[in-house]
Amino acid sequence: MRRTISTVAVAALLAACGSGESSETTAGSAPPTTAGGNADSVVLTVTSEGGFVPVEFNLDRLPRFQLMSDGRLFSVGPVPAIFPGPMLTNVQVTMVDDDLRGEIDALIEELGLADIDERIDDSGAEMIADATTEFITYHDESGTHRLGIYALGLTEGVPASSDRILATELVEILDEAAATGEATTYIPEQLQVAAGPGMEEPGMSTEQPWPLNMDFEDMADWGVGWRCTAVSGDAVAPLLEIFGEANQATLWGPDRLGIRARPLLPGETACGGAPEG
C-alpha cells in the first residue's frame, strides 16, 4: 500500500554515486533508456545539479540514486564527518524489494514522468537562494524524461506543489531502500579521474607520486584548468588501492596537483560536460 506524508519536509542528502551492455552516456548526464530491459538498463536517477558550490565539488559528484532494471540501487553510503575526508566516495549497492519497487513505479506514474520531456518546479527560488535542483530522470523505450525540483527538502516558505510533494516521497522511498536493504560496496570497472589545480591545506596536505600512466598534459582538457580521463581494465584495481589511502587534501606529483576521482556507474562514460561552479 502506498504511504502518505504529512509535510514536504525531508532531510536533504548531499550530492552523491562499469559499463554494461546498454548504450553509454557521460558521467553526470542522462543514462541510457531501459529499452531491451537488460540488467544494466537504467530506470531512474536522482541527481543534484547547480547550487553555489566550488568547481571542485562538481568534479566527482555522483547521482544521489541510480535504479537499475534488475532492482539494483546505487547510492552513497556513510562517510566520515571529517576534513579532509576519504578521496573516494563510498558507493553502495542494494536490491529494491518488490513492495518498494511497486511504490516507486506508482509514484513514477503519478508524477506523469513518461509524458514529459523536461519540467522544472522552481517555486522556491525567490525564498531560498543558491540551492541545488534535484532532477528525477526516468528512462523508458521512448527516451529520457526529466523533472527538476529546486530546493527539494527545504520547505520554509516554499509552496507545496504536487510535483514537490510526490518527488519528496519518491526520494524518501529510495532513501529507505538504500538504508534498509542488504548493502554491498560497489567495485567499479571504470573510474573517472580529473586533475587540476591543487589546494594546499596547511598541516593536512601530503604529497604522493603521480598515480596515472599518462602525464597531466596528455589528459583531455575539461575546462577551468582541469583535465580528465577514463581508467578501465587492469589499471582500475591499483588506482583504487592508491586512492583508498589518500584523502581530499592529497597533492599529486612534483607539480602538487589535485585529483578528483569517482567510480563510473553502469551506463556512464567519463568526462562529459565542462565542470561547473
Side-chain angles (χ1 to χ4, degrees):
M1 178 181 296
R2 278 280 314 283
R3 72 197 70 194
T4 59
I5 53 177
S6 58
T7 73
V8 295
V10 61
L13 301 174
L14 294 177
C17 162
S19 62
E21 297 176 0
S22 58
S23 303
E24 292 184 334
T25 185
T26 54
S29 64
T33 69
T34 58
N38 63 70
D40 275 341
S41 293
V42 179
V43 175
L44 193 79
T45 62
V46 179
T47 55
S48 299
E49 302 181 19
F52 189 68
V53 294
V55 169
E56 289 78 7
F57 187 82
N58 286 316
L59 297 173
D60 54 1
R61 178 182 278 189
L62 285 139
R64 291 175 64 172
F65 301 103
Q66 178 165 305
L67 177 65
M68 311 300 294
S69 60
D70 63 356
R72 284 175 297 156
L73 178 65
F74 294 86
S75 62
V76 174
V79 294
I82 58 173
F83 183 84
M87 180 176 175
L88 291 176
T89 304
N90 173 21
V91 181
Q92 298 288 298
V93 188
T94 55
M95 292 298 297
V96 175
D97 65 34
D98 291 341
D99 289 340
L100 288 179
R101 182 61 182 268
E103 294 187 41
I104 292 168
D105 291 342
L107 283 165
I108 289 171
E109 182 175 357
E110 195 167 353
L111 280 163
L113 292 179
D115 299 323
I116 66 173
D117 293 324
E118 180 166 311
R119 183 167 75 225
I120 298 177
D121 181 341
D122 60 357
S123 54
E126 294 182 359
M127 284 72 74
I128 301 172
D130 301 328
T132 61
T133 299
E134 306 306 294
F135 276 94
I136 297 170
T137 305
Y138 174 61
H139 312 275
D140 62 12
E141 291 81 359
S142 66
T144 298
H145 314 272
R146 278 167 50 93
L147 172 65
I149 309 291
Y150 179 79
L152 182 66
L154 304 177
T155 62
E156 185 175 354
V158 179
S161 67
S162 174
D163 280 350
R164 186 174 294 273
I165 293 171
L166 293 172
T168 297
E169 188 173 357
L170 179 55
V171 170
E172 285 182 330
I173 291 172
L174 293 169
D175 192 33
E176 178 184 342
T180 61
E182 184 175 346
T184 58
T185 299
Y186 175 53
I187 307 299
E189 296 179 359
Q190 297 185 82
L191 295 173
Q192 172 181 290
V193 182
M199 182 175 295
E200 187 77 36
E201 298 289 349
M204 292 183 284
S205 293
T206 59
E207 184 177 326
Q208 297 293 330
W210 181 249
L212 301 180
N213 58 7
M214 65 170 62
D215 293 334
F216 172 72
E217 291 77 12
D218 295 328
M219 300 170 68
D221 184 13
W222 206 20
V224 293
W226 287 83
R227 294 178 177 270
C228 188
T229 191
V231 177
S232 59
D234 293 341
V236 172
L239 275 185
L240 287 176
E241 183 175 355
I242 292 170
F243 292 158
E245 296 175 352
N247 61 44
Q248 295 167 332
T250 301
L251 300 174
W252 302 88
D255 295 328
R256 298 175 67 80
L257 294 169
I259 288 181
R260 296 291 183 269
R262 80 164 184 86
L264 291 176
L265 302 183
E268 292 185 312
T269 55
C271 311
E276 298 179 350

